[in-house]
Amino acid sequence: AAYREGRESPLPELAVQYADYAMWQREQLRGQVLDRHLAYWKEHLAGAPELLELPTDRPRPAVQTYRGAHEGIMLSGELLARLEALGRGEGATLFMTLLSAFQVLLGRYGGSEDVVVGSPISGRTRREVEDLIGLFLNTLVLRTDLSGNPSFREVLRRVREMTVGAFEHQEIPFERLVTELQPGRSLSYSPLFQVMFVLQEAERSESSAGNLELRGMGAGSSGTSKFDLTLFTGRNTEGLTASLEYNTNLFDRGTIQRMLGHLKRVLEEVAADADVRLSKLALMEDAERRQVVAEWNATDAAYPRERCAHELFEAQAARTPGAVALRHAGGNLTYGELEERANRLARHLRGLGVGPDARVGLCLERGPELMVGVLGILKAGGAYVPLDPAYPGERLAYMLEDSAARVLLTQASLVERLPAGGATVVRLDADAGEIGREGGERLGVPVGPDNLAYVIYTSGSTGRPKGVAMPHRPLVNLLAWQEGSGRAPAGAVTLQYTSISFDVSFQEIFSTWCAGGTLVLASEEIRADPPRLARLLEAERIERLFLPFVALQHLAEASVELGIAPASLGEVITAGEQLRVTEPIRRWFARMPGCALVNQYGPSETHVVSARVLEGGPAGWPLLPSIGAPVANTRLYVLNQRLEPAPIGVPGELLLGGDAVARGYLERPGLTAERFVPDPFGGAGGRLYRTGDRARWLPGGEVEYLGRTDEQVKIRGFRIEPGEVEAVLSDHPEVREALVVVREDAPGDRRLVAYVVAGESAAVTP
């Protein structure tokens, strides 16, 4: 309009001609012509994912941003010639060949077999024209099905068919398509597609391949990015250029450089063999593969691998028999006293037939007898089976039967509640006289590091608990690493908080005793009362504390409210569930500048395998810290569905190896074989445990936990981790706790629903 009115215009007449054509085109889209085109697009895009969920370096902002940059590479003329020859052989253009490779790469990065990208109809449109008429006016939505593990040749055929169909129905302007299809709209990303692909002529603006500018669209030249990613490709005199324009609020430069390297690798592989299956495409060069498989798992360290856990205690008791090993409400037990009482119990158990690998049920209220029981069972050569008195009788009966416990160690007040079955019952209180007549000298039981230390039952996704059979060697490795890496002083005063039914309790108890520290036993009443727990930390001058996240959150809230920040506390270790650095946690640790927060990771099947230490100002701690790097003599692998290593930044399943792996599930050979698989990266006989956790390597060699593979939900095409939503909600200062679930009140109407526990000052409106 400005041009026709005679006002000065910076645009050439070509722009006006194009705009006139677009206006004429809209006028033609009426009646049956419009219906035919719309019918195609509705069918083509039915059920398409609304968001291509690529792994980003930062969470997606609530409102889409357009800050951008670009990185480029140059591919050889020889590779270009082979790709063109491949296309000709399949009746496909270079555009189709490059698009196929790009969508395969996106599918691998996003873990999706349904990949949607956009592409301008004319790659030669000048940028000024693009800015005038709107980028979407002449944009096609290209959707490719990668399911069924096809060969690349088959993918190329699918892309060719899809592209031809899309170009036959190109007349509908993009904004009209959005209006008609009415996809779910979000302010955080563009509709229908978030990644664009462009093929056009290109020229080298500088000698560096990292500074390419593509003629016409000017990739990255404006410092903006209209999409998450845009791949600009083109021929020039030297070969094939490829430049990725990216949103800098989502991606780091290093991520984009790796992605370009992976694209190059895919193009080289398919040019060499178009019949390669997608499952066989290796994205990584040898150097990156070596890094994630070997270099970041170079954790070999010496430890007393032929010793057992109780032997480490015995050595410490011999060194410091008069030091306090256990403090409890009724008094203290020295190392010498604890050693003697445990030896008497061990001799009594030996007389009942307990020996190496024999399971002994352990059902006691919290108290010093519980600690004596654990140690006595190990000294007798047996493996303890924790039985929480609060468990239902049916569950206790199952665990006793499944473990084939030879002896049940308990107390008189609990006997009537316990279905002992065929186990011999020993009451530590009522039978104390008989046990006390045994000798207090150490036994020489022939038990080795491959014998069982405990069998701890997990809940199990099927509802049938399964017993994790853990030998001594992984536990001794853990104790040696913990002693060498701890942030608390040597021989720290440690609170025994965790239930004996959870593996963390072993770490609490024996990492304290093996280092000559004092274990302070918290009563059940104090464990359940955060204000009292906070006061206990201060009164007992606790130096080290193990807590799961929820308990840590409650303790932090109570401590901040009471103004308690123990100067003695040097290390708080959390494990068992994903750590979220909430506001109460930040505020509490800000008052204890000398205290480190350690995020440890490891399922019951391995115990601890990785750790991340959070130090410095808590204001700078991430909301969801990584689980860190592998600890001594453990291995972490992020693998795809074919158990091949995933590249840095690309999600996969986390598998754990090294000396941490348990023997398996007690008397469950089928399940053991399913979850404990041969280690293809280690020595002969090595095994990996399949965690079912999603994770990815971060560029610095740490692992980021991304949730459970079996808890991930899908709503309207989106893959969602409820835990991530819970973390964001919990970060609100007026939200104490949050739980996110999926509800389907009406068939097909799946919704995310959040339940929150509000803070005291929050205004809740019904």
Side-chain angles (χ1 to χ4, degrees):
Y3 182 83
R4 292 192 182 89
E5 292 171 7
R7 297 199 302 270
E8 182 178 357
S9 171
L11 301 176
E13 187 172 354
L14 172 63
V16 176
Q17 293 174 355
Y18 194 95
D20 287 343
Y21 169 75
M23 189 178 301
W24 170 84
Q25 189 181 45
R26 290 191 185 97
E27 292 296 322
Q28 305 308 306
L29 287 175
R30 299 179 184 276
Q32 293 182 349
V33 175
L34 175 62
D35 293 341
R36 178 170 58 85
H37 289 310
L38 283 177
Y40 168 82
W41 287 110
K42 288 180 179 179
E43 179 180 358
H44 178 58
L45 298 177
E50 296 176 8
L51 176 65
L52 180 58
E53 297 177 272
L54 299 175
T56 59
D57 296 303
R58 283 167 293 282
R60 184 178 295 275
V63 177
Q64 185 177 3
T65 61
Y66 301 97
R67 290 180 53 204
H70 74 284
E71 291 291 323
I73 58 173
M74 174 64 66
L75 304 174
S76 70
E78 187 271 337
L79 175 58
L80 172 60
R82 285 192 288 141
L83 292 171
E84 290 177 321
L86 169 60
R88 284 194 301 271
E90 296 299 324
T93 63
L94 180 62
F95 174 93
M96 297 172 185
T97 305
L98 296 177
L99 173 63
S100 299
F102 187 42
Q103 289 187 304
V104 166
L105 178 68
L106 294 173
R108 289 284 289 272
Y109 262 71
S112 175
E113 296 178 334
D114 192 350
V115 178
V116 181
V117 303
S119 185
I121 294 175
S122 174
R124 298 177 183 272
T125 303
R126 292 185 58 85
R127 193 176 190 93
E128 296 83 1
V129 178
E130 170 208 346
D131 292 337
L132 172 70
I133 64 175
L135 180 62
F136 295 141
L137 181 62
N138 59 331
T139 301
L140 292 182
V141 185
L142 305 175
R143 179 187 186 188
T144 297
D145 173 18
L146 301 176
S147 64
N149 190 26
S151 66
F152 182 78
R153 192 183 303 277
E154 173 59 27
V155 172
L156 180 55
R157 290 168 180 170
R158 295 179 189 181
V159 169
R160 180 190 62 193
E161 181 180 358
M162 175 272 299
T163 305
V164 170
F167 272 86
E168 288 177 351
H169 299 86
Q170 64 177 275
E171 285 82 359
I172 294 184
F174 183 84
E175 68 270 20
R176 180 66 178 272
L177 193 59
V178 172
T179 300
E180 293 289 341
L181 296 181
Q182 295 184 336
R185 299 303 298 269
S186 171
L187 295 177
S188 63
Y189 53 85
S190 57
L192 296 185
F193 66 87
Q194 298 78 43
V195 176
M196 178 168 272
F197 171 73
V198 181
L199 172 65
Q200 58 183 32
E201 294 300 326
E203 65 181 14
R204 294 289 298 275
S205 60
E206 297 184 25
S207 59
S208 171
N211 293 288
L212 299 178
E213 182 170 334
L214 301 182
R215 180 183 297 170
M217 311 241 2
S221 59
S222 64
T224 62
S225 179
K226 294 186 177 180
F227 303 99
D228 293 359
L229 294 171
T230 301
L231 176 63
F232 295 91
T233 60
R235 304 179 184 88
N236 67 12
T237 56
E238 300 179 40
L240 182 68
T241 61
S243 178
L244 263 178
E245 181 180 271
Y246 63 98
N247 186 307
T248 53
N249 287 110
L250 298 178
F251 300 101
D252 291 332
R253 182 187 181 197
T255 299
I256 299 304
Q257 290 174 331
R258 284 191 299 274
M259 186 177 288
L260 283 168
H262 297 155
L263 176 64
K264 177 175 180 286
R265 176 80 171 176
V266 169
L267 290 171
E268 290 173 340
E269 288 184 86
V270 301
D273 179 11
D275 293 311
V276 61
R277 297 281 176 182
L278 298 192
S279 61
K280 298 297 183 181
L281 281 173
L283 300 187
M284 294 182 289
E285 298 286 353
D286 291 343
E288 185 179 357
R289 180 186 174 91
R290 186 166 55 251
Q291 187 174 49
V292 299
V293 170
E295 293 175 9
W296 286 345
N297 281 310
T299 60
D300 291 350
Y303 70 99
R305 55 184 305 115
E306 299 306 320
R307 305 290 296 278
C308 294
H310 60 279
E311 293 174 340
L312 301 180
F313 169 84
E314 291 170 347
Q316 184 61 46
R319 289 191 295 268
T320 59
V324 176
L326 182 65
R327 266 202 322 253
H328 56 96
N332 298 332
L333 274 179
T334 66
Y335 276 85
E337 292 168 338
L338 185 57
E339 166 82 347
E340 182 179 337
R341 288 184 59 176
N343 285 339
R344 294 184 191 279
L345 175 60
R347 290 180 181 278
H348 186 72
L349 294 175
R350 288 286 287 170
L352 297 176
V354 174
D357 277 8
R359 276 82 71 187
V360 178
L362 184 63
C363 186
L364 292 161
E365 302 285 358
R366 291 180 67 81
E369 292 79 10
L370 180 61
M371 300 297 107
V372 173
V374 168
L375 193 53
I377 292 170
L378 295 180
K379 281 174 166 286
Y384 66 93
V385 182
L387 303 169
D388 194 322
Y391 284 171
E394 182 180 352
R395 181 181 175 93
L396 293 174
Y398 169 81
M399 294 164 68
L400 278 168
E401 180 182 0
D402 187 72
S403 65
R406 176 171 295 185
V407 175
L408 172 59
L409 203 59
T410 184
Q411 60 197 63
S413 60
L414 298 176
V415 170
E416 292 184 0
R417 296 165 49 189
L418 294 171
T424 301
V425 177
V426 175
R427 302 162 300 176
L428 280 186
D429 48 1
D431 300 330
E434 183 180 354
I435 297 171
R437 287 192 289 272
E438 300 283 357
E441 302 81 15
R442 187 179 305 166
L443 292 79
V445 180
V447 60
D450 293 321
N451 288 118
L452 293 181
Y454 61 66
V455 175
I456 287 182
Y457 278 80
T458 65
S459 60
S461 59
T462 62
R464 179 187 173 195
K466 52 187 183 292
V468 176
M470 180 63 74
H472 282 266
R473 181 173 284 120
L475 300 174
V476 170
N477 176 64
L478 169 63
L479 297 176
W481 168 81
Q482 183 77 55
E483 184 175 1
S485 65
R487 299 307 173 105
V493 178
T494 302
L495 185 71
Q496 204 289 298
Y497 172 90
T498 310
S499 166
I500 197 70
S501 295
F502 293 96
D503 55 3
V504 174
S505 63
F506 179 93
Q507 187 182 6
E508 278 179 329
I509 297 166
F510 283 91
S511 68
T512 302
W513 287 345
C514 294
T518 298
L519 198 66
V520 177
L521 195 61
S523 68
E524 287 289 356
E525 294 75 19
I526 290 178
R527 289 180 70 245
D529 190 334
R532 291 181 65 186
L533 181 60
R535 295 187 185 99
L536 178 68
L537 296 179
E538 196 168 50
E540 294 286 350
R541 298 191 58 79
I542 299 298
E543 296 173 305
R544 187 175 62 163
L545 177 64
F546 292 78
L547 284 177
F549 163 71
V550 171
L552 174 61
Q553 168 74 4
H554 292 165
L555 176 61
E557 291 172 347
S559 298
V560 169
E561 184 176 346
L562 295 171
I564 295 176
S568 59
L569 198 57
E571 185 176 41
V572 176
I573 299 169
T574 184
E577 55 188 308
Q578 187 170 24
L579 171 62
R580 306 170 195 166
V581 181
T582 62
E583 187 58 29
I585 291 175
R586 293 184 199 276
R587 292 172 62 189
W588 191 41
F589 278 86
R591 299 180 183 182
M592 300 183 296
C595 184
L597 176 60
V598 183
N599 187 29
Q600 294 185 352
Y601 168 84
S604 298
E605 289 80 356
T606 61
H607 218 314
V608 177
V609 291
S610 71
R612 161 83 187 278
V613 180
L614 299 174
E615 296 179 293
W621 294 353
L623 174 62
L624 296 173
S626 78
I627 59 174
V631 306
N633 302 300
T634 67
R635 313 285 185 267
L636 274 62
Y637 301 102
V638 179
L639 307 181
N640 60 26
Q641 293 178 343
R642 296 160 297 281
L643 299 186
E644 285 290 325
I648 298 169
V650 177
E653 183 183 357
L654 185 59
L655 279 77
L656 312 175
D659 288 358
V661 181
R663 182 185 294 180
Y665 297 118
L666 188 68
E667 305 300 333
R668 304 281 288 275
L671 186 59
T672 296
E674 176 185 336
R675 305 304 298 179
F676 294 81
V677 299
D679 181 359
F681 312 109
R687 295 174 307 140
L688 299 178
Y689 171 65
R690 300 191 65 167
T691 66
D693 289 338
R694 293 180 66 247
R696 64 174 179 170
W697 283 108
L698 298 177
E702 293 188 344
V703 172
E704 181 181 17
Y705 174 82
L706 299 174
R708 293 286 301 165
T709 57
D710 51 6
E711 288 179 358
Q712 194 179 71
V713 299
K714 199 165 189 177
I715 297 179
R716 293 189 293 277
F718 294 95
R719 291 197 310 271
I720 297 169
E721 290 290 351
E724 294 180 3
V725 183
E726 291 170 357
V728 174
L729 292 173
S730 299
D731 198 40
H732 192 284
E734 296 298 341
V735 173
R736 292 181 56 191
E737 294 183 56
L739 173 69
V740 174
V741 299
V742 178
R743 291 186 54 166
E744 191 170 355
D745 297 330
D749 181 22
R750 288 166 57 84
R751 297 180 298 154
L752 278 185
V753 178
Y755 299 88
V756 301
V757 177
E760 293 182 0
S761 60
V764 180
T765 303

